[in-house]
Amino acid sequence: MKKTEVGQDLPAPELISRKIAELGDWRGDTLAKMRKLIQQADPEVVEELKWMGTPVWSHNGIICTGETYKGKVKLTFAKGASLKDPARLFNSSLDGNVRRAIDILEGETVDEAAFKALVLEAVALNSSGKPKASKKAKA
């Protein structure tokens, strides 16, 4: 389905809802579920659209982005390398110095409690005012 150009002046949450509806498949269902978990974990989360319509969830800085590709939904945590991930949800971008991502394939599920904990940890890091510099930034 073609992406809607009409209504780009609408609030970001409505545009995100439209994007999810336009996907019309498992990717939309997955993105909607992850969005709901983010909102449950942090009721004060701010939804934005950036970078050619990519959904972004923020609280004192970016928590994560929600990208959809043909074969996966990718949730990229802006400061993921600084987050503890005892449930090992991160399965992509593991070699980066700053970001970490969760790739969700069709039929896969994510541990909801662990995901919410990761969101809350990202909010706490953003709110701490102490961003952890990457190794490259220190050089």
Side-chain angles (χ1 to χ4, degrees), residues 38 42 44-48 50 56-64 123 126:
I38 293 166
D42 180 16
E44 295 178 22
V45 71
V46 175
E47 295 188 311
E48 305 168 275
K50 296 185 179 191
V56 177
W57 292 276
S58 300
H59 187 147
N60 293 327
I62 295 174
I63 299 168
C64 68
V123 170
N126 285 349

Side-chain angles (χ1 to χ4, degrees), residues 64-138:
C64 68
T65 63
E67 304 148 74
T68 53
Y69 299 94
K70 186 176 181 179
K72 65 185 167 192
V73 172
K74 178 182 279 291
L75 296 162
T76 303
F77 282 71
K79 299 177 184 174
S82 297
L83 303 177
K84 295 176 186 140
D85 181 23
R88 304 184 76 102
L89 296 179
F90 291 132
N91 59 9
S92 181
S93 305
L94 300 176
D95 293 332
N97 290 327
V98 181
R99 293 184 296 274
R100 293 284 186 273
I102 302 168
D103 286 352
I104 307 168
L105 306 178
E106 186 172 7
E108 290 184 338
T109 59
V110 173
D111 180 326
E112 293 182 13
F115 182 76
K116 287 180 182 181
L118 203 57
V119 169
L120 289 175
E121 188 179 351
V123 170
L125 179 61
N126 285 349
S127 300
S128 73
K130 298 178 183 177
K132 185 175 178 181
S134 71
K135 293 175 188 172
K136 288 182 182 177
K138 292 177 184 177

Side-chain angles (χ1 to χ4, degrees), residues 33-46:
K33 181 177 183 176
M34 302 315 292
R35 177 191 197 190
K36 183 178 177 183
L37 293 175
I38 293 166
Q39 292 168 334
Q40 287 173 351
D42 180 16
E44 295 178 22
V45 71
V46 175

Side-chain angles (χ1 to χ4, degrees), residues 3-20 22-23 31 35 46-58 62 64-68:
K3 292 183 181 178
T4 303
E5 295 298 325
V6 178
Q8 293 301 311
D9 57 340
L10 295 172
E14 188 167 332
L15 292 172
I16 292 170
S17 294
R18 284 185 178 196
K19 179 181 179 102
I20 289 169
E22 287 175 350
L23 286 166
L31 189 58
R35 177 191 197 190
V46 175
E47 295 188 311
E48 305 168 275
L49 283 176
K50 296 185 179 191
W51 310 296
M52 297 174 47
T54 300
V56 177
W57 292 276
S58 300
I62 295 174
C64 68
T65 63
E67 304 148 74
T68 53

